[in-house]
């Protein structure tokens, strides 16, 4: 079972996505997104990307989801709708889960699925060997290259964040 | 292609379908937009890590920066709608009704 841990985590990822796409009250949607974010971090960690997994938790969940959480707390209703309290939400949730389990069943039956691309389980066992990377982590070195090869990228993103803050202040000024 | 990619692309499609179909709250659509960004981040990270494309490891971080920018803008618009109408229901956005 441990050899298929990444596939199981990705199934839980899709289930979390179905949980907030069936649109219960936004506070429960935020809960589904937090679960999916945590499981997505686990998938990235299983591929060896420790820094990018940490980015998901710290920046995405710890930064963006917190902001969504308190904005939802500001604009929410007295009795939030949970998944079982509305037939439309429950029906959409069950339809999404059924679709995902049907796909998993086809994968387990035929060992390959063709939707637009041909997905097969054998792709997990192919190792791309591009030479020896030495004693350092390739992914951390690639992100560190943001400051040497990607200087212009940093300048553009920093400037666009500053302009974004100015735009938000103009929007929320009111008149 | 690997089976994990099938699930991540399925998650992106589910979130896209959720974004395009409104229910009552505007906030739910913004959450679906955030879900799309998360699934794109995970998909890009897995493909870059799998093919050992070291220099492209900075791309998911830049994607996250622009997703944060976009989420903040969407939230500020939602806050203004909520200030005007009291709630963020989609049925309040009816000024362009023909």
């Amino acid at each position: 079972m441990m050899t298929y841990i990444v596939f199981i985590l990705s199934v839980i990822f899709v289930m979390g996505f179905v949980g907030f796409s069936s649109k219960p009250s936004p506070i429960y949607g935020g809960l589904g997104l937090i679960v999916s974010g945590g499981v997505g971090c686990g998938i990235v960690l299983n591929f060896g990307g420790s820094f990018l997994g940490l980015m998901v938790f710290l920046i995405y969940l710890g930064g963006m989801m917190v902001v969504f959480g308190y904005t939802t707390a500001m604009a929410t209703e007295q009795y939030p709708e949970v998944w079982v309290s509305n037939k439309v939400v429950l029906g959409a949730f069950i339809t999404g889960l059924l679709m995902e389990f049907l796909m998993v069943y086809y994968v387990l039956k035929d060992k390959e699925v063709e939707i637009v691309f041909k997905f097969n389980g054998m792709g997990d066992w192919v190792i791309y060997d591009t030479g020896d990377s030495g004693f350092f982590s390739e992914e951390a070195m690639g992100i560190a290259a943001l400051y040497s090869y990607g200087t212009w990228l940093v300048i553009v993103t920093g400037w666009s964040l500053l302009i974004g803050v100015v735009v938000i202040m103009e929007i929320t000024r009111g008149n | 292609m690997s089976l994990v990619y099938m699930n991540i692309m399925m998650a992106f499609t589910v979130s896209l379908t959720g974004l395009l179909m409104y229910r009552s709250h505007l906030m739910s659509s913004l959450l679906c937009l955030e879900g799309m960004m998360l699934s794109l981040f995970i998909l890009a990270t897995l493909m870059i890590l799998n093919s050992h494309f070291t220099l492209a490891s900075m791309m998911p971080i830049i994607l996250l920066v622009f997703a944060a920018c976009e989420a903040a803008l969407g939230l500020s618009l939602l806050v203004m709608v909520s200030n005007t109408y009291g709630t963020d229901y989609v049925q309040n956005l009816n000024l362009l009704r023909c």
Side-chain angles (χ1 to χ4, degrees):
Chain A
M1 202 267 296
M2 267 319 260
T3 48
Y4 295 105
I5 189 69
V6 183
F7 185 64
I8 292 172
L9 283 178
S10 64
V11 171
I12 301 175
F13 188 72
V14 177
M15 279 163 41
F17 264 61
V18 171
F20 69 78
S21 287
S22 55
K23 298 214 180 52
S25 181
I27 197 71
Y28 294 110
L31 191 66
L33 198 53
I34 289 175
V35 165
S36 288
V39 171
C41 171
I43 299 175
V44 169
L45 288 177
N46 268 307
F47 271 69
S50 27
F51 186 78
L52 285 167
L54 190 67
M55 286 274 307
V56 169
F57 253 112
L58 222 56
I59 309 295
Y60 192 82
L61 294 184
M64 290 159 64
M65 278 307 116
V66 163
V67 173
F68 269 88
Y70 59 68
T71 310
T72 306
M74 194 187 75
T76 190
E77 58 226 354
Q78 196 186 10
Y79 293 108
E81 250 178 4
V82 81
W83 286 280
V84 296
S85 69
N86 188 352
K87 286 197 190 57
V88 176
V89 175
L90 188 64
F93 186 57
I94 290 180
T95 307
L97 284 189
L98 212 65
M99 176 195 67
E100 175 62 21
F101 288 137
L102 220 60
M103 276 184 71
V104 170
Y105 171 70
Y106 273 120
V107 160
L108 290 178
K109 191 164 73 92
D110 289 331
K111 297 280 182 289
E112 78 176 10
V113 166
E114 174 157 8
I115 303 180
V116 176
F117 301 99
K118 211 178 205 52
F119 298 104
N120 57 349
M122 290 301 120
D124 284 327
W125 305 110
V126 172
I127 311 262
Y128 293 100
D129 185 23
T130 54
D132 190 19
S133 70
F135 293 105
F136 49 83
S137 154
E138 286 177 348
E139 165 226 8
M141 291 302 119
I143 294 170
L146 194 56
Y147 296 108
S148 59
Y149 290 105
T151 311
W152 180 239
L153 203 54
V154 170
I155 292 172
V156 166
T157 49
W159 185 248
S160 74
L161 277 175
L162 187 65
I163 297 295
V165 167
V166 169
V167 166
I168 287 174
M169 282 184 0
E170 285 299 316
I171 289 176
T172 51
R173 199 155 56 124
N175 46 4
Chain B
M1 247 193 220
S2 185
L3 282 174
V4 185
Y5 298 140
M6 172 189 88
N7 275 326
I8 310 285
M9 290 185 200
M10 176 63 54
F12 177 78
T13 315
V14 162
S15 208
L16 176 66
T17 317
L19 174 67
L20 296 175
M21 298 198 288
Y22 287 153
R23 272 192 72 230
S24 37
H25 283 276
L26 193 62
M27 187 72 180
S28 310
S29 300
L30 289 182
L31 279 173
C32 284
L33 199 60
E34 283 314 300
M36 282 166 70
M37 287 298 139
L38 177 68
S39 70
L40 280 177
F41 178 90
I42 303 287
L43 185 66
T45 306
L46 294 188
M47 285 191 164
I48 288 169
L49 285 173
N50 213 6
S51 53
H52 293 283
F53 189 1
T54 309
L55 213 52
S57 302
M58 59 175 91
M59 176 268 200
I61 297 181
I62 304 296
L63 180 68
L64 216 57
V65 167
F66 286 116
C69 222
E70 157 197 352
L73 267 162
L75 279 176
S76 73
L77 289 172
L78 184 134
V79 159
M80 289 316 286
V81 168
S82 182
N83 275 352
T84 317
Y85 292 103
T87 54
D88 63 336
Y89 289 152
V90 185
Q91 66 204 33
N92 289 330
L93 306 172
N94 54 4
L95 290 178
L96 285 179
R97 191 168 39 186
C98 46

